[in-house]
Coordinates of all heavy atoms in Angstrom, one line a residue:
Y194 N 0.8 -1.2 0.0 CA 0.0 0.0 0.0 C 0.9 1.2 0.0 O 1.9 1.3 0.7 CB -0.9 0.0 1.2 CG -2.0 -1.1 1.2 CD1 -1.9 -2.2 2.1 CD2 -3.1 -1.0 0.3 CE1 -2.9 -3.2 2.0 CE2 -4.0 -1.9 0.3 CZ -3.9 -3.0 1.2 OH -4.9 -4.0 1.1
L195 N 0.4 2.3 -0.7 CA 1.2 3.5 -0.9 C 0.9 4.4 0.3 O -0.2 4.5 0.8 CB 0.8 4.2 -2.1 CG 1.0 3.4 -3.4 CD1 0.6 4.2 -4.6 CD2 2.5 3.1 -3.6
Q196 N 1.9 5.2 0.8 CA 1.8 6.1 1.8 C 1.5 7.5 1.2 O 1.5 7.7 0.0 CB 3.1 6.2 2.6 CG 3.5 4.9 3.2 CD 2.6 4.4 4.2 OE1 2.1 5.1 5.1 NE2 2.3 3.0 4.1
E197 N 1.1 8.5 2.1 CA 0.9 9.8 1.6 C 2.1 10.5 1.2 O 2.2 11.2 0.1 CB 0.2 10.6 2.8 CG -0.2 12.0 2.4 CD -1.4 12.2 1.5 OE1 -2.1 11.1 1.3 OE2 -1.8 13.3 1.1
E198 N 3.2 10.4 2.0 CA 4.4 11.1 1.7 C 5.1 10.5 0.4 O 5.2 9.3 0.3 CB 5.4 10.9 2.8 CG 6.7 11.7 2.7 CD 7.6 11.6 3.9 OE1 7.2 11.0 4.9 OE2 8.8 12.1 3.8
G199 N 5.4 11.3 -0.5 CA 6.0 10.9 -1.8 C 5.0 10.1 -2.7 O 5.5 9.4 -3.6
Y200 N 3.7 10.3 -2.5 CA 2.8 9.5 -3.2 C 2.9 9.7 -4.7 O 3.0 8.7 -5.5 CB 1.3 9.9 -2.7 CG 0.2 9.2 -3.5 CD1 -0.2 8.0 -3.3 CD2 -0.4 10.0 -4.6 CE1 -1.2 7.4 -4.0 CE2 -1.4 9.4 -5.3 CZ -1.8 8.1 -5.0 OH -2.8 7.5 -5.8
R201 N 2.9 11.0 -5.2 CA 2.9 11.2 -6.6 C 4.2 10.7 -7.3 O 4.1 10.2 -8.4 CB 2.7 12.7 -6.9 CG 1.3 13.2 -6.8 CD 1.1 14.7 -7.0 NE 1.6 15.5 -5.9 CZ 1.8 16.8 -5.9 NH1 1.6 17.4 -7.0 NH2 2.1 17.4 -4.8
Q202 N 5.3 10.8 -6.5 CA 6.5 10.2 -7.1 C 6.5 8.7 -7.2 O 6.9 8.1 -8.2 CB 7.7 10.6 -6.2 CG 9.0 10.1 -6.7 CD 10.2 10.6 -5.8 OE1 10.0 11.2 -4.7 NE2 11.4 10.3 -6.2
Q203 N 5.9 8.1 -6.2 CA 5.7 6.6 -6.3 C 4.8 6.2 -7.4 O 5.0 5.2 -8.0 CB 5.2 6.1 -4.9 CG 6.1 6.1 -3.8 CD 5.6 5.4 -2.6 OE1 5.6 4.2 -2.5 NE2 5.1 6.2 -1.6
M204 N 3.7 7.0 -7.6 CA 2.8 6.7 -8.7 C 3.5 6.7 -10.0 O 3.3 5.8 -10.9 CB 1.6 7.6 -8.6 CG 0.6 7.4 -7.5 SD -0.2 5.8 -7.5 CE -1.2 5.9 -9.0
R205 N 4.3 7.8 -10.2 CA 5.0 7.9 -11.5 C 6.1 6.9 -11.7 O 6.3 6.4 -12.8 CB 5.6 9.3 -11.6 CG 4.6 10.5 -11.4 CD 3.8 10.7 -12.7 NE 2.9 11.9 -12.5 CZ 2.1 12.3 -13.4 NH1 1.9 11.6 -14.5 NH2 1.3 13.4 -13.2
Q206 N 6.8 6.6 -10.6 CA 8.0 5.8 -10.8 C 7.8 4.3 -10.5 O 8.6 3.5 -11.0 CB 9.1 6.3 -9.8 CG 9.6 7.7 -10.1 CD 10.7 8.2 -9.2 OE1 11.1 7.5 -8.3 NE2 11.1 9.5 -9.4
V207 N 6.8 4.0 -9.7 CA 6.6 2.6 -9.4 C 5.2 2.0 -10.0 O 5.2 1.0 -10.7 CB 6.5 2.4 -7.8 CG1 6.2 0.9 -7.5 CG2 7.9 2.8 -7.2
V208 N 4.2 2.7 -9.7 CA 2.8 2.2 -10.0 C 2.6 2.2 -11.5 O 2.2 1.2 -12.1 CB 1.7 3.0 -9.3 CG1 0.3 2.5 -9.8 CG2 1.9 2.8 -7.8
E209 N 2.9 3.4 -12.2 CA 2.6 3.5 -13.6 C 3.4 2.5 -14.5 O 2.8 1.8 -15.3 CB 2.7 4.9 -14.1 CG 1.7 5.8 -13.5 CD 1.8 7.3 -14.0 OE1 2.7 7.6 -14.8 OE2 1.1 8.2 -13.4
P210 N 4.7 2.3 -14.2 CA 5.4 1.3 -14.9 C 4.9 -0.1 -14.7 O 4.8 -1.0 -15.6 CB 6.8 1.4 -14.4 CG 6.9 2.8 -14.0 CD 5.6 3.1 -13.4
Y211 N 4.4 -0.4 -13.4 CA 3.8 -1.7 -13.1 C 2.6 -1.9 -13.9 O 2.3 -3.0 -14.4 CB 3.6 -1.8 -11.6 CG 2.9 -3.0 -11.1 CD1 3.7 -4.1 -10.7 CD2 1.6 -3.1 -11.0 CE1 3.1 -5.3 -10.3 CE2 1.0 -4.3 -10.5 CZ 1.7 -5.4 -10.2 OH 1.2 -6.5 -9.7
L212 N 1.7 -0.9 -13.9 CA 0.4 -1.0 -14.7 C 0.7 -1.2 -16.1 O -0.1 -2.0 -16.8 CB -0.4 0.2 -14.4 CG -0.9 0.5 -13.0 CD1 -1.8 1.7 -13.0 CD2 -1.6 -0.7 -12.4
K213 N 1.7 -0.6 -16.7 CA 2.0 -0.7 -18.1 C 2.3 -2.1 -18.5 O 2.0 -2.4 -19.7 CB 3.1 0.3 -18.4 CG 3.4 0.5 -19.9 CD 4.5 1.5 -20.2 CE 4.7 1.7 -21.6 NZ 5.8 2.7 -21.9
R214 N 2.8 -2.9 -17.6 CA 3.2 -4.3 -18.0 C 1.9 -5.1 -18.3 O 2.0 -6.0 -19.0 CB 3.9 -4.9 -16.8 CG 5.3 -4.4 -16.6 CD 5.8 -4.8 -15.2 NE 5.5 -6.1 -14.8 CZ 5.7 -6.6 -13.5 NH1 6.1 -5.7 -12.6 NH2 5.4 -7.8 -13.2
Y215 N 0.8 -4.7 -17.7 CA -0.5 -5.4 -17.9 C -1.5 -4.8 -18.8 O -2.4 -5.4 -19.2 CB -1.1 -5.7 -16.5 CG -0.2 -6.5 -15.5 CD1 0.5 -5.8 -14.6 CD2 -0.2 -7.9 -15.6 CE1 1.3 -6.5 -13.7 CE2 0.6 -8.6 -14.7 CZ 1.3 -7.9 -13.8 OH 2.1 -8.6 -12.9
R216 N -1.3 -3.5 -19.0 CA -2.4 -2.7 -19.6 C -2.4 -2.8 -21.2 O -1.4 -2.8 -21.8 CB -2.3 -1.2 -19.2 CG -3.4 -0.3 -19.8 CD -3.2 1.1 -19.4 NE -2.0 1.7 -19.9 CZ -1.1 2.3 -19.2 NH1 -1.2 2.4 -17.9 NH2 0.0 2.7 -19.7
R217 N -3.6 -3.0 -21.7 CA -3.9 -2.7 -23.1 C -5.2 -1.9 -23.1 O -6.1 -2.2 -22.4 CB -4.0 -4.0 -23.9 CG -5.2 -4.9 -23.4 CD -5.2 -6.2 -24.3 NE -6.3 -7.0 -24.0 CZ -7.6 -6.9 -24.5 NH1 -7.8 -5.9 -25.3 NH2 -8.5 -7.7 -24.1
C218 N -5.2 -1.0 -24.1 CA -6.4 -0.1 -24.2 C -7.0 -0.4 -25.6 O -6.4 -0.8 -26.5 CB -6.0 1.3 -24.1 SG -5.2 1.8 -22.5
G219 N -8.3 -0.1 -25.6 CA -9.0 -0.3 -26.9 C -10.3 0.4 -26.9 O -10.7 1.1 -25.9
R220 N -11.1 0.2 -27.9 CA -12.5 0.7 -28.0 C -13.4 -0.4 -28.5 O -12.9 -1.3 -29.2 CB -12.5 1.9 -29.0 CG -11.7 3.1 -28.6 CD -11.7 4.2 -29.6 NE -10.7 5.2 -29.3 CZ -11.0 6.3 -28.5 NH1 -12.2 6.4 -28.0 NH2 -10.1 7.1 -28.3
F221 N -14.6 -0.3 -28.2 CA -15.6 -1.2 -28.8 C -16.9 -0.4 -29.1 O -17.1 0.7 -28.6 CB -16.0 -2.3 -27.8 CG -16.8 -2.0 -26.6 CD1 -18.2 -2.1 -26.7 CD2 -16.2 -1.5 -25.5 CE1 -19.0 -1.7 -25.6 CE2 -17.0 -1.2 -24.4 CZ -18.4 -1.3 -24.4
C222 N -17.6 -0.9 -30.1 CA -18.8 -0.2 -30.6 C -20.0 -0.7 -29.8 O -20.3 -1.9 -29.7 CB -19.0 -0.5 -32.0 SG -20.3 0.4 -32.8
S223 N -20.7 0.3 -29.1 CA -21.8 -0.1 -28.3 C -23.1 -0.3 -29.1 O -23.0 -0.2 -30.4 CB -22.1 1.0 -27.2 OG -23.0 0.5 -26.2
Y224 N -24.2 -0.6 -28.5 CA -25.4 -1.0 -29.2 C -25.9 0.1 -30.2 O -26.6 -0.2 -31.2 CB -26.5 -1.3 -28.2 CG -27.0 0.0 -27.5 CD1 -28.2 0.6 -27.9 CD2 -26.3 0.6 -26.4 CE1 -28.7 1.8 -27.3 CE2 -26.8 1.7 -25.8 CZ -28.0 2.3 -26.2 OH -28.4 3.4 -25.6
D225 N -25.6 1.4 -29.9 CA -26.1 2.5 -30.8 C -25.0 3.1 -31.6 O -25.2 4.2 -32.2 CB -26.8 3.5 -30.0 CG -25.9 4.2 -29.0 OD1 -24.7 3.7 -28.8 OD2 -26.2 5.2 -28.4
G226 N -23.8 2.4 -31.7 CA -22.7 2.9 -32.5 C -21.7 3.8 -31.7 O -20.7 4.2 -32.3
T227 N -22.0 4.1 -30.5 CA -21.1 4.9 -29.6 C -19.8 4.2 -29.4 O -19.9 3.0 -29.0 CB -21.8 5.3 -28.3 OG1 -23.0 6.0 -28.6 CG2 -20.9 6.1 -27.4
Q228 N -18.7 4.8 -29.6 CA -17.4 4.2 -29.3 C -17.0 4.4 -27.8 O -17.0 5.5 -27.3 CB -16.4 4.9 -30.2 CG -16.5 4.6 -31.7 CD -16.3 3.2 -32.0 OE1 -15.3 2.5 -31.6 NE2 -17.1 2.6 -32.9
I229 N -16.8 3.3 -27.2 CA -16.5 3.3 -25.8 C -15.0 2.9 -25.6 O -14.6 1.8 -26.0 CB -17.4 2.3 -25.0 CG1 -18.9 2.6 -25.2 CG2 -17.0 2.3 -23.5 CD1 -19.3 4.0 -24.7
F230 N -14.3 3.7 -24.9 CA -12.8 3.5 -24.6 C -12.7 2.7 -23.3 O -13.5 2.8 -22.4 CB -12.1 4.8 -24.5 CG -10.7 4.7 -24.1 CD1 -9.7 4.6 -25.1 CD2 -10.3 4.7 -22.8 CE1 -8.4 4.4 -24.7 CE2 -8.9 4.6 -22.4 CZ -8.0 4.5 -23.4
Y231 N -11.7 1.8 -23.3 CA -11.5 1.0 -22.1 C -10.0 0.7 -21.9 O -9.2 0.8 -22.8 CB -12.3 -0.3 -22.1 CG -11.8 -1.3 -23.1 CD1 -10.8 -2.2 -22.9 CD2 -12.3 -1.3 -24.4 CE1 -10.3 -3.1 -23.8 CE2 -11.9 -2.2 -25.4 CZ -10.9 -3.1 -25.1 OH -10.4 -4.0 -26.0
C232 N -9.7 0.4 -20.7 CA -8.4 -0.2 -20.3 C -8.6 -1.6 -19.7 O -9.5 -1.7 -18.8 CB -7.6 0.7 -19.3 SG -7.1 2.3 -20.0
A233 N -7.8 -2.5 -20.1 CA -7.8 -3.9 -19.6 C -6.4 -4.2 -19.0 O -5.4 -4.0 -19.7 CB -8.2 -4.9 -20.6
Y234 N -6.4 -4.6 -17.8 CA -5.1 -5.0 -17.1 C -5.2 -6.5 -16.9 O -5.9 -7.0 -15.9 CB -5.0 -4.3 -15.8 CG -5.1 -2.7 -16.0 CD1 -6.3 -2.1 -16.0 CD2 -3.9 -2.0 -16.1 CE1 -6.4 -0.7 -16.2 CE2 -4.0 -0.6 -16.2 CZ -5.2 0.0 -16.3 OH -5.3 1.4 -16.4
V235 N -4.6 -7.3 -17.7 CA -4.8 -8.8 -17.7 C -3.6 -9.5 -17.1 O -2.5 -9.4 -17.6 CB -5.1 -9.2 -19.1 CG1 -5.3 -10.7 -19.2 CG2 -6.2 -8.5 -19.7
R236 N -3.9 -10.3 -16.1 CA -2.9 -11.2 -15.5 C -3.1 -12.6 -16.0 O -4.2 -13.0 -16.3 CB -3.0 -11.2 -14.0 CG -2.7 -10.0 -13.2 CD -2.6 -10.3 -11.7 NE -1.6 -11.3 -11.5 CZ -0.5 -11.1 -10.8 NH1 -0.3 -9.9 -10.3 NH2 0.4 -12.0 -10.6
R237 N -2.0 -13.3 -16.2 CA -2.1 -14.8 -16.5 C -2.5 -15.5 -15.2 O -2.1 -15.1 -14.1 CB -0.7 -15.3 -17.0 CG -0.3 -14.8 -18.3 CD 1.0 -15.4 -18.7 NE 0.9 -16.9 -18.9 CZ 1.9 -17.7 -19.1 NH1 3.1 -17.2 -19.1 NH2 1.7 -19.0 -19.3
H238 N -3.4 -16.5 -15.3 CA -3.8 -17.3 -14.2 C -4.5 -16.4 -13.1 O -4.2 -16.6 -11.9 CB -2.7 -18.1 -13.6 CG -1.9 -18.9 -14.7 ND1 -2.5 -19.8 -15.5 CD2 -0.6 -18.8 -15.0 CE1 -1.6 -20.3 -16.3 NE2 -0.4 -19.7 -16.0
A239 N -5.2 -15.4 -13.6 CA -5.9 -14.5 -12.6 C -6.9 -15.3 -11.8 O -7.5 -16.2 -12.2 CB -6.6 -13.3 -13.3
R240 N -7.1 -14.8 -10.5 CA -8.1 -15.5 -9.6 C -9.5 -15.0 -9.9 O -10.4 -15.5 -9.4 CB -7.7 -15.3 -8.2 CG -7.7 -13.8 -7.8 CD -7.7 -13.7 -6.2 NE -6.5 -14.4 -5.7 CZ -6.3 -14.6 -4.3 NH1 -7.2 -14.2 -3.5 NH2 -5.3 -15.2 -3.9

């Protein structure tokens, strides 16, 4: 868990690189043609 002190630095230097390992972004077309953006963070053998 992240602490308050140095939070933004930890987010930039630790959390964002960690998320990037799992993240893929895309769009899908909804029922009326609206384009919906999403992020998926996919682990192998997820629980």
Side-chain angles (χ1 to χ4, degrees):
Y194 292 108
L195 302 177
Q196 305 295 315
E197 181 77 4
E198 184 177 354
Y200 174 81
R201 281 179 284 169
Q202 182 179 2
Q203 288 188 81
M204 289 297 293
R205 302 283 186 183
Q206 297 180 0
V207 178
V208 174
E209 290 180 9
Y211 178 87
L212 298 182
K213 190 175 181 180
R214 289 162 45 193
Y215 299 96
R216 183 179 63 232
R217 65 176 180 84
C218 298
R220 299 176 187 274
F221 72 94
C222 186
S223 192
Y224 71 97
D225 61 351
T227 300
Q228 293 292 316
I229 304 297
F230 176 87
Y231 69 88
C232 292
Y234 306 83
V235 181
R236 291 191 62 113
R237 293 183 62 188
H238 310 300
R240 61 167 58 190

